[in-house]
Amino acid sequence: MSRNFDTVSGLFYLDVVTHEEKSAWILGIAAVVSYAVYLVLVLGRAGGRALAEVPYVGTLLWTVGASIVATIVLSILVAVVSKDGAKDQRDREIGRFGEYIGHSFVVIGAVAALLLAMAEAPHFWIANAVYLAFTLSAILGSVARIFAYRRGFPAW
C-alpha cells in the first residue's frame, strides 16, 4: 500500500487523529470555504463595474464571522466527541510551528496593506489584501500543522 494512500485514508479514521490535528483541519477548511463564499458573492455583485465599487463590507464581515463561529462550534463538537488525551509537548511544538508559518503571511498582508494605503488605493483593495493575508495565514498554518502530524515534525 502506498504511503500517500495511508496518509489520505487516515482522514477516515478520526479516532486515531489527535484533537489538535482535527482542529487544524477545521480551521483550514473553514478558511477556504469562507473565502470562497466571499469571492463568489463579491464577484457576483460586480456585474461589469469596477471591483472597488462593489459593496463588500457586509459580505466580508459576515463571512469572517461565520467562519469564526463555524470553527468554534465544530471545534467544540470535536472536543466533545473526541477520545484523545491532553496536549503533549509534540502538540505544542507543532502548534507553534504552524503559528510561525501562518504569522509570516499576516506580516506580508500588513506590508501589502500599508503599501496600498501609501499608494492611496481604494479601501476595497486594502481590506481585501488584509482578508487574503488572514485567510492564507489560516490555510498555510493549518497545512503546516497537518503535514507535521502526518509526515513528522522537522528537526532543527
Side-chain angles (χ1 to χ4, degrees):
M1 192 178 314
S2 80
R3 181 162 170 77
N4 288 339
F5 181 72
D6 289 342
T7 301
V8 174
S9 67
L11 294 175
F12 301 111
Y13 300 103
L14 293 178
D15 56 332
V16 296
V17 176
T18 67
H19 174 70
E20 296 303 314
E21 185 179 348
K22 291 173 193 170
S23 294
W25 279 103
I26 290 168
L27 178 61
I29 291 169
V32 168
V33 169
S34 66
Y35 195 73
V37 167
Y38 172 76
L39 285 177
V40 166
L41 292 174
V42 169
L43 293 174
R45 290 182 184 156
R49 62 183 158 168
L51 282 177
E53 297 173 5
V54 175
Y56 69 95
V57 177
T59 306
L60 191 146
L61 292 174
W62 277 104
T63 55
V64 169
S67 179
I68 291 169
V69 169
T71 301
I72 290 170
V73 169
L74 289 172
S75 294
I76 290 170
L77 289 174
V78 165
V80 169
V81 175
S82 186
K83 296 180 177 102
D84 57 352
K87 274 185 171 181
D88 61 6
Q89 182 63 27
R90 179 175 176 258
D91 290 326
R92 284 188 284 278
E93 291 294 324
I94 288 173
R96 190 173 302 125
F97 173 69
E99 290 299 315
Y100 288 154
I101 299 291
H103 283 240
S104 63
F105 283 90
V106 171
V107 172
I108 291 168
V111 170
L114 182 63
L115 292 173
L116 287 169
M118 286 191 273
E120 297 181 2
H123 292 150
F124 174 87
W125 296 112
I126 298 169
N128 279 281
V130 172
Y131 187 24
L132 178 62
F134 284 137
T135 301
L136 289 175
S137 171
I139 293 168
L140 296 172
S142 294
V143 167
R145 289 182 7 216
I146 292 165
F147 268 93
Y149 277 111
R150 295 292 167 145
R151 302 286 186 195
F153 189 67
W156 302 108

